[in-house]
Short mmCIF file of all heavy atoms in Angstrom, two decimals:
data_model
loop_
_atom_site.label_atom_id
_atom_site.label_comp_id
_atom_site.label_asym_id
_atom_site.label_seq_id
_atom_site.Cartn_x
_atom_site.Cartn_y
_atom_site.Cartn_z
N MET A 1 -43.44 -3.82 13.66
CA MET A 1 -42.39 -3.25 14.45
C MET A 1 -41.14 -4.02 14.37
O MET A 1 -40.06 -3.41 14.27
CB MET A 1 -42.94 -3.29 15.93
CG MET A 1 -42.07 -2.58 16.91
SD MET A 1 -42.18 -0.87 16.69
CE MET A 1 -41.47 -0.29 18.17
N ALA A 2 -41.22 -5.35 14.34
CA ALA A 2 -39.99 -6.22 14.30
C ALA A 2 -39.40 -6.01 12.92
O ALA A 2 -38.10 -6.03 12.82
CB ALA A 2 -40.39 -7.73 14.54
N LEU A 3 -40.19 -5.87 11.83
CA LEU A 3 -39.63 -5.62 10.55
C LEU A 3 -38.92 -4.36 10.43
O LEU A 3 -37.85 -4.26 9.79
CB LEU A 3 -40.76 -5.71 9.51
CG LEU A 3 -40.34 -5.52 8.00
CD1 LEU A 3 -39.37 -6.59 7.63
CD2 LEU A 3 -41.51 -5.39 7.17
N ALA A 4 -39.41 -3.26 11.04
CA ALA A 4 -38.74 -2.04 11.07
C ALA A 4 -37.39 -2.10 11.75
O ALA A 4 -36.41 -1.49 11.31
CB ALA A 4 -39.56 -0.92 11.70
N ARG A 5 -37.28 -2.89 12.87
CA ARG A 5 -36.01 -3.00 13.53
C ARG A 5 -35.00 -3.75 12.64
O ARG A 5 -33.83 -3.50 12.58
CB ARG A 5 -36.15 -3.77 14.83
CG ARG A 5 -36.59 -2.98 15.96
CD ARG A 5 -36.52 -3.71 17.19
NE ARG A 5 -37.36 -3.04 18.24
CZ ARG A 5 -37.93 -3.65 19.23
NH1 ARG A 5 -37.74 -4.88 19.44
NH2 ARG A 5 -38.71 -2.95 20.05
N ARG A 6 -35.52 -4.76 11.89
CA ARG A 6 -34.57 -5.49 11.07
C ARG A 6 -34.05 -4.64 9.89
O ARG A 6 -32.88 -4.65 9.55
CB ARG A 6 -35.30 -6.73 10.46
CG ARG A 6 -35.50 -7.78 11.50
CD ARG A 6 -36.15 -8.99 10.79
NE ARG A 6 -36.73 -9.92 11.76
CZ ARG A 6 -37.63 -10.79 11.52
NH1 ARG A 6 -38.04 -10.91 10.34
NH2 ARG A 6 -38.08 -11.58 12.51
N VAL A 7 -34.98 -3.84 9.39
CA VAL A 7 -34.55 -2.96 8.22
C VAL A 7 -33.59 -1.86 8.81
O VAL A 7 -32.58 -1.63 8.15
CB VAL A 7 -35.79 -2.33 7.60
CG1 VAL A 7 -35.40 -1.19 6.65
CG2 VAL A 7 -36.64 -3.31 6.90
N THR A 8 -33.91 -1.36 9.88
CA THR A 8 -32.95 -0.38 10.50
C THR A 8 -31.66 -0.98 10.83
O THR A 8 -30.56 -0.29 10.68
CB THR A 8 -33.58 0.22 11.80
OG1 THR A 8 -34.85 0.68 11.47
CG2 THR A 8 -32.75 1.32 12.40
N ALA A 9 -31.55 -2.25 11.28
CA ALA A 9 -30.32 -2.91 11.54
C ALA A 9 -29.56 -3.24 10.27
O ALA A 9 -28.26 -3.28 10.35
CB ALA A 9 -30.60 -4.18 12.27
N VAL A 10 -30.16 -3.26 9.19
CA VAL A 10 -29.43 -3.63 7.86
C VAL A 10 -28.88 -2.43 7.24
O VAL A 10 -27.91 -2.54 6.45
CB VAL A 10 -30.40 -4.30 6.91
CG1 VAL A 10 -29.80 -4.60 5.55
CG2 VAL A 10 -30.81 -5.76 7.50
N PHE A 11 -29.43 -1.18 7.55
CA PHE A 11 -28.83 -0.01 6.95
C PHE A 11 -27.41 0.25 7.03
O PHE A 11 -26.68 0.53 6.05
CB PHE A 11 -29.62 1.22 7.37
CG PHE A 11 -30.88 1.49 6.69
CD1 PHE A 11 -32.04 1.84 7.41
CD2 PHE A 11 -31.08 1.30 5.31
CE1 PHE A 11 -33.30 2.10 6.72
CE2 PHE A 11 -32.26 1.50 4.69
CZ PHE A 11 -33.32 1.88 5.34
N PRO A 12 -26.78 0.03 8.27
CA PRO A 12 -25.35 0.21 8.37
C PRO A 12 -24.54 -0.80 7.52
O PRO A 12 -23.54 -0.46 6.89
CB PRO A 12 -25.05 -0.07 9.85
CG PRO A 12 -26.31 0.21 10.50
CD PRO A 12 -27.35 -0.14 9.58
N LEU A 13 -25.05 -2.04 7.37
CA LEU A 13 -24.36 -3.00 6.58
C LEU A 13 -24.46 -2.64 5.10
O LEU A 13 -23.48 -2.70 4.38
CB LEU A 13 -25.00 -4.38 6.76
CG LEU A 13 -24.45 -5.56 5.92
CD1 LEU A 13 -23.01 -5.80 6.23
CD2 LEU A 13 -25.30 -6.82 6.08
N VAL A 14 -25.54 -2.20 4.58
CA VAL A 14 -25.70 -1.77 3.29
C VAL A 14 -24.91 -0.56 2.95
O VAL A 14 -24.21 -0.43 1.90
CB VAL A 14 -27.28 -1.46 2.98
CG1 VAL A 14 -27.40 -0.80 1.60
CG2 VAL A 14 -28.03 -2.77 3.04
N GLY A 15 -24.86 0.41 3.87
CA GLY A 15 -23.98 1.55 3.65
C GLY A 15 -22.49 1.20 3.71
O GLY A 15 -21.71 1.74 2.80
N ALA A 16 -21.99 0.32 4.52
CA ALA A 16 -20.64 -0.05 4.44
C ALA A 16 -20.34 -0.88 3.17
O ALA A 16 -19.26 -0.65 2.57
CB ALA A 16 -20.42 -1.06 5.69
N LEU A 17 -21.25 -1.77 2.77
CA LEU A 17 -21.10 -2.37 1.50
C LEU A 17 -21.01 -1.40 0.37
O LEU A 17 -20.10 -1.61 -0.60
CB LEU A 17 -22.23 -3.42 1.25
CG LEU A 17 -21.73 -4.88 1.41
CD1 LEU A 17 -23.02 -5.68 1.66
CD2 LEU A 17 -20.98 -5.26 0.30
N ALA A 18 -21.84 -0.41 0.32
CA ALA A 18 -21.88 0.50 -0.81
C ALA A 18 -20.53 1.31 -0.84
O ALA A 18 -19.96 1.62 -1.92
CB ALA A 18 -23.03 1.48 -0.64
N THR A 19 -20.02 1.69 0.45
CA THR A 19 -18.79 2.45 0.49
C THR A 19 -17.65 1.59 -0.01
O THR A 19 -16.77 2.13 -0.71
CB THR A 19 -18.56 2.84 2.00
OG1 THR A 19 -19.72 3.58 2.35
CG2 THR A 19 -17.33 3.59 2.14
N ALA A 20 -17.59 0.24 0.36
CA ALA A 20 -16.57 -0.58 -0.08
C ALA A 20 -16.49 -0.78 -1.57
O ALA A 20 -15.49 -0.74 -2.26
CB ALA A 20 -16.68 -1.95 0.58
N VAL A 21 -17.80 -0.87 -2.17
CA VAL A 21 -17.83 -1.04 -3.62
C VAL A 21 -17.34 0.27 -4.29
O VAL A 21 -16.65 0.20 -5.34
CB VAL A 21 -19.27 -1.41 -4.01
CG1 VAL A 21 -19.45 -1.31 -5.55
CG2 VAL A 21 -19.52 -2.86 -3.61
N ALA A 22 -17.78 1.41 -3.76
CA ALA A 22 -17.34 2.65 -4.41
C ALA A 22 -15.81 2.86 -4.28
O ALA A 22 -15.22 3.34 -5.32
CB ALA A 22 -18.07 3.85 -3.76
N LEU A 23 -15.18 2.55 -3.23
CA LEU A 23 -13.77 2.71 -3.06
C LEU A 23 -13.06 1.75 -3.94
O LEU A 23 -12.02 2.07 -4.47
CB LEU A 23 -13.48 2.52 -1.58
CG LEU A 23 -13.83 3.68 -0.69
CD1 LEU A 23 -13.50 3.38 0.80
CD2 LEU A 23 -13.19 5.00 -0.98
N THR A 24 -13.50 0.55 -4.06
CA THR A 24 -12.86 -0.43 -4.95
C THR A 24 -13.02 0.03 -6.29
O THR A 24 -11.96 -0.09 -7.06
CB THR A 24 -13.51 -1.83 -4.72
OG1 THR A 24 -13.44 -2.21 -3.36
CG2 THR A 24 -12.91 -2.88 -5.60
N GLY A 25 -14.14 0.52 -6.80
CA GLY A 25 -14.21 1.06 -8.14
C GLY A 25 -13.31 2.16 -8.37
O GLY A 25 -12.71 2.24 -9.46
N ALA A 26 -13.22 3.09 -7.40
CA ALA A 26 -12.28 4.25 -7.59
C ALA A 26 -10.81 3.81 -7.68
O ALA A 26 -10.05 4.38 -8.47
CB ALA A 26 -12.48 5.22 -6.42
N ALA A 27 -10.45 2.78 -6.89
CA ALA A 27 -9.09 2.27 -7.01
C ALA A 27 -8.83 1.62 -8.31
O ALA A 27 -7.80 1.87 -8.93
CB ALA A 27 -8.86 1.22 -5.88
N PHE A 28 -9.80 0.81 -8.83
CA PHE A 28 -9.52 0.13 -10.16
C PHE A 28 -9.56 1.25 -11.27
O PHE A 28 -8.76 1.25 -12.23
CB PHE A 28 -10.69 -0.82 -10.50
CG PHE A 28 -10.43 -2.16 -9.89
CD1 PHE A 28 -11.08 -2.55 -8.80
CD2 PHE A 28 -9.45 -3.01 -10.48
CE1 PHE A 28 -10.85 -3.84 -8.25
CE2 PHE A 28 -9.25 -4.24 -10.00
CZ PHE A 28 -9.86 -4.69 -8.86
N PHE A 29 -10.39 2.31 -11.18
CA PHE A 29 -10.39 3.29 -12.18
C PHE A 29 -9.08 4.13 -12.12
O PHE A 29 -8.43 4.33 -13.12
CB PHE A 29 -11.49 4.30 -11.89
CG PHE A 29 -11.60 5.43 -12.79
CD1 PHE A 29 -12.08 5.26 -14.03
CD2 PHE A 29 -11.10 6.71 -12.51
CE1 PHE A 29 -12.23 6.36 -15.02
CE2 PHE A 29 -11.10 7.81 -13.41
CZ PHE A 29 -11.65 7.60 -14.63
N THR A 30 -8.55 4.40 -10.95
CA THR A 30 -7.27 5.09 -10.79
C THR A 30 -6.06 4.35 -11.37
O THR A 30 -5.27 4.76 -12.19
CB THR A 30 -6.94 5.41 -9.33
OG1 THR A 30 -8.04 6.16 -8.87
CG2 THR A 30 -5.63 6.21 -9.23
N VAL A 31 -6.05 3.00 -11.13
CA VAL A 31 -5.01 2.18 -11.73
C VAL A 31 -5.03 2.00 -13.15
O VAL A 31 -4.08 2.01 -13.85
CB VAL A 31 -4.96 0.81 -10.92
CG1 VAL A 31 -3.99 -0.14 -11.62
CG2 VAL A 31 -4.56 0.98 -9.48
N ALA A 32 -6.27 1.87 -13.66
CA ALA A 32 -6.52 1.62 -15.10
C ALA A 32 -6.13 2.87 -15.84
O ALA A 32 -5.66 2.75 -17.03
CB ALA A 32 -7.96 1.32 -15.44
N HIS A 33 -6.23 4.12 -15.31
CA HIS A 33 -5.88 5.32 -16.07
C HIS A 33 -4.61 5.89 -15.65
O HIS A 33 -4.30 7.05 -15.93
CB HIS A 33 -7.08 6.30 -15.87
CG HIS A 33 -8.28 5.89 -16.61
ND1 HIS A 33 -9.29 5.06 -16.04
CD2 HIS A 33 -8.75 6.07 -17.81
CE1 HIS A 33 -10.18 4.84 -16.91
NE2 HIS A 33 -9.93 5.46 -17.97
N ALA A 34 -3.76 5.15 -14.93
CA ALA A 34 -2.44 5.62 -14.57
C ALA A 34 -1.51 5.84 -15.78
O ALA A 34 -1.46 4.97 -16.66
CB ALA A 34 -1.83 4.72 -13.53
N ASP A 35 -0.91 6.93 -15.84
CA ASP A 35 -0.03 7.26 -16.90
C ASP A 35 1.46 7.18 -16.45
O ASP A 35 1.91 7.97 -15.67
CB ASP A 35 -0.21 8.67 -17.47
CG ASP A 35 0.63 9.04 -18.69
OD1 ASP A 35 1.09 8.16 -19.37
OD2 ASP A 35 0.69 10.24 -18.95
N CYS A 36 2.18 6.22 -16.91
CA CYS A 36 3.61 6.00 -16.43
C CYS A 36 4.54 6.68 -17.28
O CYS A 36 5.78 6.52 -17.04
CB CYS A 36 3.89 4.51 -16.41
SG CYS A 36 2.92 3.57 -15.11
N ALA A 37 4.12 7.47 -18.20
CA ALA A 37 5.06 8.33 -19.04
C ALA A 37 5.71 9.37 -18.21
O ALA A 37 6.87 9.71 -18.52
CB ALA A 37 4.36 8.81 -20.25
N ASP A 38 5.00 9.81 -17.25
CA ASP A 38 5.59 10.89 -16.37
C ASP A 38 6.49 10.27 -15.33
O ASP A 38 6.06 9.41 -14.63
CB ASP A 38 4.36 11.61 -15.67
CG ASP A 38 4.91 12.77 -14.76
OD1 ASP A 38 6.08 13.20 -14.89
OD2 ASP A 38 4.02 13.21 -13.88
N ALA A 39 7.77 10.83 -15.23
CA ALA A 39 8.69 10.16 -14.38
C ALA A 39 8.44 10.65 -12.93
O ALA A 39 9.04 10.09 -12.09
CB ALA A 39 10.16 10.49 -14.77
N GLY A 40 7.72 11.66 -12.70
CA GLY A 40 7.48 12.14 -11.46
C GLY A 40 8.49 13.29 -11.02
O GLY A 40 9.50 13.44 -11.68
N ARG A 41 8.07 14.02 -10.05
CA ARG A 41 8.93 15.12 -9.56
C ARG A 41 8.70 15.40 -8.17
O ARG A 41 7.66 15.15 -7.62
CB ARG A 41 8.69 16.39 -10.44
CG ARG A 41 7.25 16.92 -10.29
CD ARG A 41 6.95 17.96 -11.45
NE ARG A 41 5.63 18.39 -11.32
CZ ARG A 41 4.56 17.70 -11.65
NH1 ARG A 41 4.63 16.46 -12.12
NH2 ARG A 41 3.33 18.22 -11.45
N PHE A 42 9.59 16.09 -7.47
CA PHE A 42 9.45 16.46 -6.10
C PHE A 42 8.95 17.86 -6.06
O PHE A 42 9.54 18.73 -6.69
CB PHE A 42 10.81 16.30 -5.33
CG PHE A 42 11.17 14.88 -5.08
CD1 PHE A 42 12.08 14.18 -5.90
CD2 PHE A 42 10.59 14.18 -4.09
CE1 PHE A 42 12.39 12.90 -5.63
CE2 PHE A 42 10.87 12.89 -3.78
CZ PHE A 42 11.85 12.18 -4.60
N VAL A 43 7.96 18.20 -5.28
CA VAL A 43 7.42 19.55 -5.15
C VAL A 43 7.45 19.97 -3.75
O VAL A 43 6.98 19.24 -2.88
CB VAL A 43 6.01 19.64 -5.74
CG1 VAL A 43 5.34 20.99 -5.65
CG2 VAL A 43 6.00 19.17 -7.17
N GLN A 44 7.88 21.19 -3.48
CA GLN A 44 7.86 21.79 -2.12
C GLN A 44 6.57 22.65 -1.97
O GLN A 44 6.48 23.48 -2.73
CB GLN A 44 9.07 22.48 -1.75
CG GLN A 44 9.16 22.97 -0.36
CD GLN A 44 10.47 23.56 0.04
OE1 GLN A 44 11.31 23.78 -0.83
NE2 GLN A 44 10.68 23.85 1.27
N ARG A 45 5.76 22.18 -0.95
CA ARG A 45 4.61 23.00 -0.65
C ARG A 45 4.96 24.20 0.11
O ARG A 45 6.04 24.46 0.57
CB ARG A 45 3.58 22.06 0.20
CG ARG A 45 3.16 20.86 -0.69
CD ARG A 45 2.02 20.12 0.01
NE ARG A 45 2.34 19.75 1.38
CZ ARG A 45 1.73 18.78 2.06
NH1 ARG A 45 0.74 18.22 1.62
NH2 ARG A 45 2.12 18.49 3.30
N ASP A 46 3.89 25.11 0.27
CA ASP A 46 4.10 26.37 1.06
C ASP A 46 4.55 26.08 2.45
O ASP A 46 5.22 26.95 3.06
CB ASP A 46 2.73 27.19 1.03
CG ASP A 46 2.46 27.62 -0.41
OD1 ASP A 46 3.45 27.64 -1.26
OD2 ASP A 46 1.36 27.87 -0.73
N ASP A 47 4.15 25.01 3.13
CA ASP A 47 4.45 24.70 4.49
C ASP A 47 5.79 24.08 4.65
O ASP A 47 6.22 23.64 5.69
CB ASP A 47 3.37 24.01 5.19
CG ASP A 47 3.09 22.60 4.50
OD1 ASP A 47 3.69 22.36 3.43
OD2 ASP A 47 2.30 21.83 5.00
N GLY A 48 6.51 23.86 3.53
CA GLY A 48 8.00 23.39 3.56
C GLY A 48 7.98 21.88 3.38
O GLY A 48 9.08 21.30 3.36
N VAL A 49 6.86 21.20 3.33
CA VAL A 49 6.92 19.73 3.13
C VAL A 49 7.18 19.34 1.63
O VAL A 49 6.64 20.10 0.73
CB VAL A 49 5.58 19.14 3.56
CG1 VAL A 49 5.41 17.64 3.23
CG2 VAL A 49 5.28 19.42 5.03
N ILE A 50 8.04 18.46 1.40
CA ILE A 50 8.43 18.05 0.03
C ILE A 50 7.63 16.75 -0.24
O ILE A 50 7.66 15.79 0.60
CB ILE A 50 9.89 17.83 -0.10
CG1 ILE A 50 10.63 19.12 0.14
CG2 ILE A 50 10.23 17.26 -1.48
CD1 ILE A 50 12.13 19.08 0.14
N GLU A 51 6.92 16.67 -1.31
CA GLU A 51 6.20 15.46 -1.72
C GLU A 51 6.46 15.18 -3.14
O GLU A 51 6.80 15.94 -3.96
CB GLU A 51 4.70 15.69 -1.55
CG GLU A 51 4.03 16.74 -2.29
CD GLU A 51 2.67 16.87 -2.00
OE1 GLU A 51 1.94 15.99 -1.48
OE2 GLU A 51 2.06 17.91 -2.34
N PHE A 52 6.40 13.82 -3.46
CA PHE A 52 6.56 13.26 -4.81
C PHE A 52 5.23 13.27 -5.50
O PHE A 52 4.26 12.82 -5.07
CB PHE A 52 7.23 11.89 -4.66
CG PHE A 52 7.53 11.30 -5.99
CD1 PHE A 52 8.64 11.77 -6.59
CD2 PHE A 52 6.75 10.24 -6.57
CE1 PHE A 52 8.99 11.21 -7.90
CE2 PHE A 52 7.08 9.70 -7.77
CZ PHE A 52 8.24 10.14 -8.49
N VAL A 53 5.20 14.01 -6.68
CA VAL A 53 4.01 14.13 -7.48
C VAL A 53 4.25 13.51 -8.80
O VAL A 53 5.25 13.71 -9.44
CB VAL A 53 3.68 15.66 -7.65
CG1 VAL A 53 2.42 15.81 -8.53
CG2 VAL A 53 3.50 16.32 -6.28
N GLY A 54 3.17 12.70 -9.21
CA GLY A 54 3.27 12.02 -10.51
C GLY A 54 4.09 10.73 -10.54
O GLY A 54 4.58 10.32 -9.50
N GLY A 55 4.23 10.15 -11.70
CA GLY A 55 5.05 8.96 -11.85
C GLY A 55 4.33 7.71 -11.32
O GLY A 55 3.30 7.75 -10.66
N CYS A 56 4.92 6.61 -11.61
CA CYS A 56 4.47 5.32 -11.01
C CYS A 56 5.67 4.33 -10.98
O CYS A 56 6.58 4.61 -11.59
CB CYS A 56 3.30 4.86 -11.82
SG CYS A 56 3.74 4.43 -13.55
N VAL A 57 5.42 3.32 -10.28
CA VAL A 57 6.39 2.30 -10.08
C VAL A 57 6.01 1.04 -10.93
O VAL A 57 4.91 0.58 -10.83
CB VAL A 57 6.58 1.91 -8.57
CG1 VAL A 57 7.66 0.84 -8.33
CG2 VAL A 57 6.96 3.16 -7.79
N ASP A 58 6.98 0.53 -11.68
CA ASP A 58 6.83 -0.74 -12.41
C ASP A 58 7.40 -1.86 -11.54
O ASP A 58 8.36 -1.62 -10.81
CB ASP A 58 7.66 -0.56 -13.75
CG ASP A 58 7.36 -1.83 -14.56
OD1 ASP A 58 6.47 -2.61 -14.27
OD2 ASP A 58 8.07 -1.93 -15.55
N GLY A 59 6.73 -2.97 -11.59
CA GLY A 59 7.12 -4.09 -10.83
C GLY A 59 8.59 -4.58 -11.11
O GLY A 59 9.30 -5.09 -10.23
N ASN A 60 9.01 -4.31 -12.30
CA ASN A 60 10.39 -4.64 -12.72
C ASN A 60 11.42 -3.65 -12.07
O ASN A 60 12.60 -3.99 -11.97
CB ASN A 60 10.65 -4.61 -14.17
CG ASN A 60 9.73 -5.63 -14.88
OD1 ASN A 60 9.53 -6.72 -14.26
ND2 ASN A 60 9.26 -5.44 -16.07
N ASP A 61 11.01 -2.51 -11.54
CA ASP A 61 11.86 -1.56 -10.98
C ASP A 61 12.23 -1.99 -9.48
O ASP A 61 13.14 -1.49 -8.86
CB ASP A 61 11.27 -0.23 -10.90
CG ASP A 61 11.17 0.42 -12.33
OD1 ASP A 61 11.76 -0.09 -13.26
OD2 ASP A 61 10.30 1.32 -12.50
N LEU A 62 11.39 -2.77 -8.92
CA LEU A 62 11.66 -3.19 -7.50
C LEU A 62 12.72 -4.33 -7.37
O LEU A 62 12.73 -5.13 -8.26
CB LEU A 62 10.21 -3.65 -6.88
CG LEU A 62 9.16 -2.69 -6.98
CD1 LEU A 62 7.83 -3.29 -6.45
CD2 LEU A 62 9.43 -1.52 -6.11
N PRO A 63 13.33 -4.33 -6.33
CA PRO A 63 14.41 -5.35 -6.15
C PRO A 63 13.71 -6.67 -5.92
O PRO A 63 12.60 -6.81 -5.33
CB PRO A 63 15.16 -4.97 -4.89
CG PRO A 63 14.26 -4.03 -4.16
CD PRO A 63 13.35 -3.42 -5.16
N ALA A 64 14.37 -7.75 -6.29
CA ALA A 64 13.83 -9.08 -6.13
C ALA A 64 13.99 -9.61 -4.75
O ALA A 64 14.91 -9.23 -4.10
CB ALA A 64 14.59 -10.13 -7.13
N VAL A 65 13.06 -10.39 -4.27
CA VAL A 65 13.09 -11.00 -2.93
C VAL A 65 14.08 -12.17 -2.93
O VAL A 65 13.93 -12.97 -3.79
CB VAL A 65 11.70 -11.37 -2.54
CG1 VAL A 65 11.78 -12.06 -1.17
CG2 VAL A 65 10.76 -10.26 -2.57
N PRO A 66 15.01 -12.13 -2.12
CA PRO A 66 16.00 -13.27 -2.03
C PRO A 66 15.26 -14.58 -1.70
O PRO A 66 14.44 -14.51 -0.78
CB PRO A 66 17.02 -12.83 -1.06
CG PRO A 66 16.41 -11.80 -0.23
CD PRO A 66 15.33 -11.18 -1.07
N LYS A 67 15.64 -15.65 -2.31
CA LYS A 67 14.95 -16.86 -2.04
C LYS A 67 15.76 -17.59 -1.01
O LYS A 67 17.05 -17.70 -1.04
CB LYS A 67 14.91 -17.69 -3.39
CG LYS A 67 14.10 -17.13 -4.37
CD LYS A 67 13.63 -18.12 -5.43
CE LYS A 67 12.79 -17.34 -6.43
NZ LYS A 67 11.60 -17.99 -6.75
N GLN A 68 15.07 -18.11 -0.03
CA GLN A 68 15.76 -18.85 1.11
C GLN A 68 15.04 -20.10 1.30
O GLN A 68 13.91 -20.22 1.07
CB GLN A 68 15.65 -17.97 2.36
CG GLN A 68 16.36 -16.71 2.28
CD GLN A 68 16.26 -15.94 3.58
OE1 GLN A 68 15.46 -16.24 4.48
NE2 GLN A 68 17.00 -14.78 3.72
N ASP A 69 15.88 -21.08 1.68
CA ASP A 69 15.40 -22.47 1.95
C ASP A 69 14.56 -22.45 3.19
O ASP A 69 14.88 -21.65 4.25
CB ASP A 69 16.47 -23.46 2.05
CG ASP A 69 17.10 -23.68 0.66
OD1 ASP A 69 16.44 -23.45 -0.29
OD2 ASP A 69 18.35 -24.10 0.70
N THR A 70 13.56 -23.22 3.28
CA THR A 70 12.75 -23.34 4.54
C THR A 70 13.57 -24.15 5.53
O THR A 70 14.11 -25.19 5.24
CB THR A 70 11.49 -24.04 4.29
OG1 THR A 70 10.79 -23.27 3.28
CG2 THR A 70 10.57 -24.06 5.53
N VAL A 71 13.65 -23.67 6.82
CA VAL A 71 14.34 -24.36 7.90
C VAL A 71 13.45 -25.50 8.41
O VAL A 71 12.22 -25.20 8.71
CB VAL A 71 14.69 -23.43 9.01
CG1 VAL A 71 15.47 -24.20 10.12
CG2 VAL A 71 15.64 -22.36 8.42
N ARG A 72 13.94 -26.74 8.40
CA ARG A 72 13.16 -27.82 8.96
C ARG A 72 13.71 -28.32 10.28
O ARG A 72 15.02 -28.50 10.36
CB ARG A 72 13.14 -28.94 7.98
CG ARG A 72 12.39 -28.48 6.70
CD ARG A 72 12.21 -29.68 5.81
NE ARG A 72 11.54 -29.20 4.57
CZ ARG A 72 10.62 -29.86 3.99
NH1 ARG A 72 10.17 -30.94 4.45
NH2 ARG A 72 10.05 -29.30 2.89
N TYR A 73 12.94 -28.49 11.24
CA TYR A 73 13.35 -28.89 12.53
C TYR A 73 12.96 -30.40 12.74
O TYR A 73 11.90 -30.72 12.37
CB TYR A 73 12.75 -28.08 13.62
CG TYR A 73 13.19 -26.65 13.63
CD1 TYR A 73 12.41 -25.68 13.07
CD2 TYR A 73 14.49 -26.29 14.06
CE1 TYR A 73 12.87 -24.35 12.95
CE2 TYR A 73 14.82 -24.98 14.06
CZ TYR A 73 14.07 -24.00 13.49
OH TYR A 73 14.45 -22.71 13.43
N ALA A 74 13.73 -31.14 13.39
CA ALA A 74 13.44 -32.57 13.67
C ALA A 74 12.48 -32.50 14.83
O ALA A 74 12.70 -31.98 15.88
CB ALA A 74 14.67 -33.27 13.98
N VAL A 75 11.30 -33.17 14.64
CA VAL A 75 10.32 -33.40 15.66
C VAL A 75 10.33 -34.74 16.16
O VAL A 75 10.14 -35.71 15.45
CB VAL A 75 8.98 -32.93 15.06
CG1 VAL A 75 7.85 -33.02 16.16
CG2 VAL A 75 8.99 -31.54 14.57
N GLN A 76 10.46 -34.93 17.45
CA GLN A 76 10.39 -36.20 18.01
C GLN A 76 9.22 -36.33 18.91
O GLN A 76 8.89 -35.55 19.75
CB GLN A 76 11.66 -36.42 18.92
CG GLN A 76 12.95 -36.39 18.10
CD GLN A 76 14.19 -36.55 18.94
OE1 GLN A 76 14.12 -36.81 20.08
NE2 GLN A 76 15.33 -36.41 18.37
N PRO A 77 8.46 -37.50 18.75
CA PRO A 77 7.25 -37.71 19.55
C PRO A 77 7.56 -38.00 20.97
O PRO A 77 8.54 -38.37 21.41
CB PRO A 77 6.56 -38.96 18.88
CG PRO A 77 7.54 -39.53 17.98
CD PRO A 77 8.70 -38.52 17.76
#
């Protein structure tokens, strides 16, 4: 009886782990097979919503983060 409770308690953990592994694998597969040759386009759906379809962003296309010095405060004991 105690063993059955332990096994039943582990099922949600195993299910969550399997789901996480499957989603991670799908994400890696999607990124590995991304085709950046397509520049992308805007498409208007039947309900009037406009969405961006295709394309991808290269890290060099993003603006650089400005570098700032860390502010140091004088601490007195």
Side-chain angles (χ1 to χ4, degrees):
M1 186 75 164
L3 179 63
R5 277 191 200 155
R6 288 182 196 164
V7 171
T8 305
V10 172
F11 277 139
L13 176 63
V14 172
L17 251 160
T19 302
V21 168
L23 290 174
T24 302
F28 276 104
F29 179 80
T30 302
V31 170
H33 290 88
D35 183 18
C36 291
D38 181 17
R41 62 195 180 285
F42 289 99
V43 176
Q44 186 171 7
R45 297 189 304 198
D46 293 335
D47 58 356
V49 175
I50 297 175
E51 63 182 341
F52 186 71
V53 178
C56 61
V57 177
D58 185 11
N60 295 327
D61 295 339
L62 300 174
V65 176
K67 298 198 181 225
Q68 297 179 350
D69 292 332
T70 304
V71 178
R72 295 185 182 224
Y73 297 100
V75 178
Q76 297 179 6

